[in-house]
Amino acid sequence: MYAQMVKSEATQEDPERLAAFQARIDAGEKIEPKDWMPAGYRKTLIRQIGQHAHSEIVGQLPEGNWITRAPTLERKAILLAKVQDEAGHGLYLYCAAETLGVTRDEMTEMLLDGRMKYSSIFNYPTLTWADMGAVGWLVDGAAIMNQVPLQRTSFGPYSRAMIRVCKEESFHQRQGYDIMMKMCAGTPEQKAMAQNALNRFWYPSLMMFGPSDKDSVHSAQSMAWKIKMNTNDELRQKFVDQTVPQAEYLGLTVPDETLKWNDEKGGYDFAEPDWDEFFEVIQGNGPCNTERLAARNKAWDDGKWVRDGLLAHAEKKAARRVAAE
Amino acid sequence: MSSPNAAYPDTPETRTRPKRHEWPLWEVFIRGQHGMSHRHVGSLHAPDEEMAIKNARDVYTRRNEGVSIWVVEARHIAASSPSEKGPLYEPSESKVYRHPTFFDIPDEVGAM
């Protein structure tokens, strides 16, 4: 759900080849970059992995916002390490996408000019230190919910990237929850800040899984290809069931009056987020869309002289080496 | 990267696109512990080998994953082709006698 609403591409290829490909996936084999694959599989994966990578990179911005204002040196070092991890996760994912025949710079350009998307969640502002807690606990928690099953995805490089990411990700969620525990054990004002952060991040976190897709053709294709492992509703339910007791432990109230344990289904009944808001954010009209893209564009433009300079230097050195041989 | 023996796929999209002026792609190999061989962990972009090693350290060894790093430019890697899988690997399938379990050794003989 760092990749939301990824449309899967229709594929028009030799039915026999398609059947053989599907049989490999059904048998649990991994598809590797040089293996034959339907054009739709390739395109859908580039879109999905690219969007996932962009989310990791843009996801650094709301947290980067608080690095200079972390309450202690230790919290600052931890947050810095977490944000650095996100950059690493973005890179693992870009590398995985690159094995499909697209370059990282091309994907970056598509992000910067709006042709590719990133997760809706990062278009919300981080207003207080408690938001660092809520983001780690809820946003990374929701991401883990999606990424753990993706370790078993059919495309080898994506699966390997997910395994690395998952290994590192649980630190992120725990450091967030740790912040929340500290805030909730603090002064009434600090606890109120934690409650306020939960209030603002609850529904946007539920949106991360995307709208219900149980009848979606795209999801059915992606699930057959094992590049999507669960429906959005399944993952959302799992997330709510896991998170509600954690909120109770903190003594916080989930901002949903309809939230109720349902014995029959063995899970909570809960209110859907406002999907109109979700579509607005996806369309670019969220609270921080403009700011986020502007920050990425500025970083890319400001870094151009470094990219060009280092490339020119490397080429000059290489040329000198050839001349010396 | 468009040669049929490269490690990366040769697709209609990659063939028809003009070559872009970007930092080259490097494959990264890490020795996890002393006594182990280097293992492929992923790739990254860097202008030259020096920066590639520095970047590899930042991207792939943030949690003590390595004691040594190798980098090689991806275009220098030659790879076998998936379509050759049969001719390359099938011949060994019939040579079961290459495995010790092929031979029955009586228990009295002891460990062997």
Side-chain angles (χ1 to χ4, degrees), chain B residues 97-109:
Chain B
Y97 42 80
R98 282 179 171 157
H99 299 279
T101 46
F102 178 77
F103 305 94
D104 286 326
I105 303 291
D107 288 346
E108 302 91 284
V109 178

Side-chain angles (χ1 to χ4, degrees), chain B residues 18-44:
Chain B
K19 182 133 176 39
R20 296 171 58 98
H21 201 59
E22 295 178 0
W23 287 1
L25 187 68
W26 299 78
E27 298 300 325
V28 180
F29 300 81
I30 306 261
R31 186 199 300 283
Q33 309 162 30
H34 292 288
M36 305 291 282
S37 51
H38 285 76
R39 214 172 136 221
H40 183 242
V41 292
S43 53
L44 51 77

Side-chain angles (χ1 to χ4, degrees), chain A residues 192-242:
Chain A
M193 272 168 80
Q195 179 65 54
N196 181 274
L198 171 60
N199 292 350
R200 281 179 291 110
F201 276 95
W202 176 255
Y203 287 107
S205 299
L206 295 188
M207 290 178 199
M208 286 176 70
F209 300 93
S212 180
D213 60 348
K214 53 183 185 293
D215 306 317
S216 155
V217 202
H218 294 300
S219 291
Q221 177 58 271
S222 288
M223 285 178 82
W225 279 336
K226 289 194 193 162
I227 56 182
K228 186 178 169 77
M229 310 301 285
N230 305 87
T231 67
N232 296 347
D233 289 328
E234 276 166 18
L235 291 172
R236 189 169 15 249
Q237 181 71 51
K238 228 175 137 189
F239 175 74
V240 171
D241 293 345
Q242 181 186 290

Side-chain angles (χ1 to χ4, degrees), chain A residues 166-186:
Chain A
C166 285
K167 243 191 229 167
E168 300 177 351
E169 196 89 68
S170 71
F171 143 56
H172 297 178
Q173 193 187 12
R174 281 167 171 238
Q175 67 87 35
Y177 196 71
D178 189 61
I179 292 173
M180 292 306 259
M181 286 199 298
K182 198 83 178 177
M183 303 282 296
C184 290

Side-chain angles (χ1 to χ4, degrees), chain A residues 46-78:
Chain A
I46 289 176
R47 198 176 289 160
Q48 177 174 335
I49 303 174
Q51 193 178 324
H52 197 156
H54 296 327
S55 298
E56 300 283 356
I57 297 301
V58 177
Q60 294 179 101
L61 295 171
E63 290 181 297
N65 183 32
W66 280 92
I67 290 175
T68 55
R69 290 176 283 167
T72 67
L73 188 56
E74 186 186 55
R75 289 286 182 200
K76 181 175 177 158
I78 292 170

